Amino acid sequence: MRTPARPRPRLGVFALAGALALTGCAATPPSSEPAPTLPAGVVVELQQLRSDVAGRQAQVHLENGGDAPLTVGEVRVEDARFDGPASRVIAGRVSTVAPGGTVDIRVQLPPVDCTAPDDGEAHVVLELTGDAASTEVTTSAPDPLGFLAELHARECLLERVTDAAALAFTDFEPSAPGAPAALELTVSPTGDGAVTIEGIGRTNLIDFAGATSEEVHALDIEVAEGDAAPIVVQIPIVPFRCDPHAVQEDKRGTIFGLAVELEGESGSVELFVGEEMRGRILTWVAAWCGFGG
């Protein structure tokens, strides 16, 4: 008696079924939506006005060339040259820009990050609101005057200078009209480096007294490694101009440029007298020039 033949497995069908099962279980790649962009006609750039310098602020300048109003909530400027984002000076404020209009949103700049190169790129993050919803848009922000690179280079140089010596305007003695006042600069060595403070530059408000006065007043303060004693110098100053508008509209008149030499490299750093001393200097200029009170 013959044994019935056993049916042969249909391997092709099994393989196809397995392949289909595996295909059905594979994860479907998520659909990627394009990142939100600015409405057509909207332009953003970064600026720094003269009034922003002393407070280390800047402006996000926005032009609405579109057809609809634009409402802007949170604003951040992100740039690797800083150790964090710059944000609105007035937190929580909302700006509405009509078609054809512009707005300047002031932001506070954070400390610089000197491990980053000077040639970075800034991006602005804007919260656009409307119809009970908000959208966060990130866009590159041109800096047409290049102030960010200059600020980064200048403040990183100042950081290196202050590793060797702290710099500060520590006193101001006003004077009678016709006589020079005294602006006191104190250089306090840290003992950890060497630096030379070569001179101090004239501002649009303050000049230097003396027959040999020039645009840069020589200081020639040398700090050697290991020095510890503070160096105090009195700088004779007079008003650069007697114009009431120069005082009333002053923005940078009490921010002085100091020429320095550090490790064979020459450069310039900026030093502000501070708000309290600025007020005293402006009052003195007005009295010296005869339009105070």
Side-chain angles (χ1 to χ4, degrees):
M1 181 175 177
R2 296 178 60 186
T3 303
R6 303 176 66 181
R8 299 175 62 187
R10 290 179 292 174
L11 296 178
V13 174
F14 292 159
L16 178 60
L20 291 174
L22 290 175
T23 303
C25 293
T28 304
S31 58
S32 57
E33 297 182 359
T37 58
L38 287 175
V42 176
V43 178
V44 175
E45 68 178 26
L46 290 175
Q47 301 176 352
Q48 188 179 54
L49 308 181
R50 293 173 64 187
S51 57
D52 299 325
V53 175
R56 294 190 76 263
Q57 296 173 357
Q59 311 262 349
V60 175
H61 178 76
L62 186 149
E63 299 179 6
N64 184 7
D67 299 327
L70 194 65
T71 302
V72 183
E74 183 182 355
V75 176
R76 299 194 311 276
V77 179
E78 298 179 344
D79 192 313
R81 290 169 289 189
F82 295 93
D83 70 359
S87 55
R88 272 186 183 266
V89 171
I90 304 177
R93 190 165 188 174
V94 174
S95 305
T96 300
V97 193
T102 64
V103 67
D104 292 312
I105 301 172
R106 183 174 283 109
V107 294
Q108 186 66 53
L109 298 174
V112 293
D113 180 355
C114 295
T115 64
D118 295 336
D119 57 352
E121 182 180 15
H123 290 82
V124 173
V125 181
L126 303 172
E127 180 191 25
L128 305 183
T129 62
D131 299 327
S134 63
T135 303
E136 197 171 79
V137 175
T138 301
T139 181
S140 61
D143 171 15
L145 298 180
F147 82 91
L148 284 174
E150 293 178 2
L151 182 146
H152 183 266
R154 186 172 59 246
E155 292 196 354
C156 287
L157 176 59
L158 179 59
E159 185 175 297
R160 293 168 55 205
V161 168
T162 53
D163 285 342
L167 311 176
F169 292 112
T170 47
D171 197 13
F172 168 70
E173 288 293 334
S175 62
L183 179 62
E184 182 179 275
L185 173 68
T186 299
V187 180
S188 302
T190 65
D192 294 331
V195 65
T196 299
I197 314 301
E198 298 176 330
I200 181 170
R202 172 198 298 159
T203 75
N204 62 306
L205 184 67
I206 301 299
D207 199 359
F208 307 108
T212 60
S213 176
E214 297 181 354
E215 186 171 342
V216 176
H217 179 75
L219 294 175
D220 297 325
I221 301 171
E222 295 186 2
V223 174
E225 187 166 0
D227 286 353
I231 303 167
V232 181
V233 295
Q234 303 293 327
I235 303 168
I237 62 173
V238 294
F240 180 58
R241 53 192 290 193
C242 278
D243 177 356
H245 295 290
V247 173
Q248 295 168 1
E249 301 174 6
D250 173 67
K251 303 295 188 296
R252 289 185 51 87
T254 54
I255 300 175
F256 291 86
L258 297 174
V260 301
E261 192 275 329
L262 178 71
E263 298 174 352
E265 174 188 350
S266 295
S268 177
V269 298
E270 289 187 342
L271 194 62
F272 179 42
V273 298
E275 288 295 341
E276 187 275 335
M277 192 180 296
R278 172 179 179 269
R280 292 167 56 199
I281 291 175
L282 295 183
T283 300
W284 163 73
V285 171
W288 201 94
C289 292
F291 52 80

